[in-house]
Amino acid sequence: MQQAHMQPQNEPQAETKKKCLTDLTLPKLTDYIKSIGQPAFRAKQIFKWIHQKQATDFSAMTDQPKALLAQFAQNCTLAVPTIRRRQQSKDGTVKYLLQLADGNCIETVLMRYHYGNTVCVSTQVGCAMGCRFCASTQAGRVRDLTSGEIAAEIYTAQKDTGERVSHIVLMGIGEPLHNFDNVMDFLDIISCPEGINIGMRNISLSTCGLVPGIDKLAERKLQLTLSVSLHAPDNVTRSSMMPVNDAFPLEKLIPACRRYQKTTGRRISFEYSMVNGVNDSPQMAKKLADLIRGMGAHVNLIPINPVDGSPYSATDEANVRRFQKMLEDLGVNATIRRRLGTDISAACGQLRREDAKQAEQATRQTTSERTNAQ
């Protein structure tokens, strides 16, 4: 489903300056409803319309007074992205390029497993972290997503497929802990019984290792799974792959992970992207096992997807299995991530980047045609 391309904005346009009710947790929505002179009980009704029934227009809220709906139409809005591009893999994975109200685009992926459907959501437009194997960071960060925009990714995937989403991973474009407050509101909204009520134990949040954010998250004692993108067991290798390691080296990151486990009682998962000739040797496996010894942590080995402009290539399957066996022999619980969507633009940020290139080429062609016509 191709949508007309809009010029993306770094700042919200006039339309988006209206109060977006999708962004509000139930307590915040209750406060707002009371502030406009309405009884508090309406907040729960409206919250259900937005997050459970997933209304995309105020006129659908048929049990609300017409005067209130008119007031909403004038002063408020809902987060309703449009599907700009859609790709479906042979394995059932669906990748969306969603266009937001301000013209910016993000990616969302629905993955089908035997236990249910998982949606991988983006939390920012672009990313500032600069990981060198990731397509989503190549153009930098444009802006944060609001809590409602993140939730709307899930609602869009549910409506498009007609299937319920049971699990969420915050592993799309952006660093969730770099958009901390909006992500926390999103988690509140998505786990609310008056919404789609996805339990925290069905949610995974991935971070590249922002230590202050890990400590703030620990204080909340949420029962989600924290996945830390480790990717290398020594500072030299990790810094070459992930510039964030210069600010938060392993000497700071690993103790923060241990504090998180102690505070929350939740086991951490370490993501480890297997890069040919960089971090896939037996020596690296030994260093990794030594680094996380005693944590009882889980290591998720990820054969990387190829990304244009990246110097890295994936380790072959046999070497990934050898690496896994070495870790297990050293007492580390390690699994290999099942590769989904390999026949589509599977790498995070790749579809958005391809679309931006096409739009730029189309703009250049139009400019050239106009110049020639003059």
Side-chain angles (χ1 to χ4, degrees):
M1 179 176 171
Q2 191 79 9
Q3 300 291 331
H5 185 71
M6 295 173 60
Q7 187 66 30
Q9 303 290 319
N10 288 2
E11 296 298 329
Q13 295 174 317
E15 177 67 16
T16 57
K17 287 182 179 177
K18 292 182 176 183
K19 182 174 285 292
C20 182
L21 299 190
T22 318
D23 293 341
L24 304 181
T25 63
L26 183 53
K28 288 180 180 178
L29 181 60
T30 302
D31 289 343
Y32 175 68
I33 292 300
K34 288 162 66 177
S35 76
I36 60 173
Q38 294 291 325
F41 72 84
R42 294 208 186 282
K44 189 176 288 189
Q45 296 173 337
I46 294 162
F47 190 92
K48 284 183 176 180
W49 274 111
I50 297 170
H51 299 287
Q52 196 175 88
K53 300 176 185 178
Q54 293 163 28
T56 58
D57 192 272
F58 295 120
S59 62
M61 303 178 183
T62 52
D63 60 354
Q64 299 302 304
K66 288 183 179 179
L68 176 60
L69 297 182
Q71 188 175 353
F72 283 164
Q74 184 174 354
N75 301 319
C76 303
T77 188
L78 298 171
V80 186
T82 56
I83 300 173
R84 181 168 168 77
R85 290 178 64 183
R86 182 188 192 275
Q87 294 181 337
Q88 181 152 345
S89 170
K90 290 179 289 187
D91 61 29
T93 300
V94 184
K95 186 161 193 175
Y96 302 96
L97 184 71
L98 301 182
Q99 186 167 297
L100 306 174
D102 64 358
N104 279 300
C105 291
I106 55 171
E107 292 178 7
T108 305
V109 183
L110 180 136
M111 299 165 286
R112 294 179 167 100
Y113 295 95
H114 64 88
Y115 53 76
N117 293 330
T118 295
V119 165
C120 177
V121 297
S122 296
T123 54
Q124 294 176 308
V125 180
C127 183
M129 297 298 108
C131 298
R132 296 189 171 95
F133 48 84
C134 181
S136 65
T137 195
Q138 291 182 356
R141 172 190 164 276
V142 178
R143 69 170 176 87
D144 293 338
L145 295 184
T146 68
S147 53
E149 286 174 326
I150 304 171
E153 297 179 58
I154 297 161
Y155 307 157
T156 302
Q158 284 197 153
K159 284 194 170 187
D160 178 65
T161 60
E163 300 172 19
R164 173 174 161 72
V165 170
S166 57
H167 293 69
I168 302 167
V169 292
L170 290 85
M171 295 182 183
I173 296 172
E175 162 57 52
L177 298 185
H178 195 216
N179 184 17
F180 191 89
D181 292 341
N182 288 344
V183 166
M184 292 305 108
D185 277 356
F186 159 73
L187 293 173
D188 193 343
I189 287 167
I190 220 70
S191 61
C192 183
E194 280 73 27
I196 59 173
N197 195 21
I198 296 178
M200 284 290 173
R201 288 180 180 265
N202 288 352
I203 299 174
S204 294
L205 184 152
S206 176
T207 177
C208 67
L210 298 185
V211 169
I214 292 172
D215 287 333
K216 278 175 70 179
L217 184 64
E219 291 171 6
R220 297 189 174 236
K221 297 185 179 179
L222 302 177
Q223 291 300 292
L224 53 73
T225 297
L226 178 64
S227 297
V228 176
S229 297
L230 189 60
H231 304 316
D234 64 72
N235 284 324
V236 172
T237 307
R238 191 165 190 265
S239 287
S240 72
M241 300 172 71
M242 306 174 68
V244 70
N245 193 71
D246 293 335
F248 304 110
L250 295 171
E251 292 80 9
K252 293 182 179 179
L253 175 59
I254 297 304
C257 293
R258 293 182 186 275
R259 289 193 299 272
Y260 181 89
Q261 287 197 157
K262 184 177 180 181
T263 301
T264 65
R266 298 286 291 162
R267 183 180 73 162
I268 280 181
S269 176
F270 288 108
E271 307 287 312
Y272 197 94
S273 292
M274 300 289 292
V275 182
N276 185 38
V278 176
N279 65 352
D280 59 346
S281 67
Q283 293 80 5
M284 288 290 184
K286 175 69 166 59
K287 281 185 179 181
L288 177 57
D290 290 342
L291 182 69
I292 62 174
R293 193 174 305 283
M295 292 182 69
H298 167 255
V299 174
N300 194 9
L301 301 175
I302 308 165
I304 65 166
N305 288 305
V307 174
D308 290 342
S310 170
Y312 298 127
S313 59
T315 299
D316 65 79
E317 248 180 80
N319 199 40
V320 176
R321 288 195 296 271
R322 283 194 294 271
F323 198 92
Q324 178 194 23
K325 186 176 186 309
M326 283 195 66
L327 288 177
E328 290 179 338
D329 290 345
L330 291 165
V332 176
N333 179 17
T335 56
I336 301 171
R337 179 183 288 178
R338 177 184 163 203
R339 297 188 74 178
L340 297 174
T342 53
D343 55 328
I344 57 178
S345 301
C348 181
Q350 191 168 323
L351 186 58
R352 174 175 172 260
R353 190 161 169 257
E354 289 172 1
D355 186 77
K357 279 186 177 179
Q358 289 176 10
E360 185 180 348
Q361 288 169 359
T363 301
R364 284 178 180 171
Q365 184 175 348
T366 301
T367 303
S368 176
E369 288 171 354
R370 285 174 180 169
T371 302
N372 293 335
Q374 288 175 354

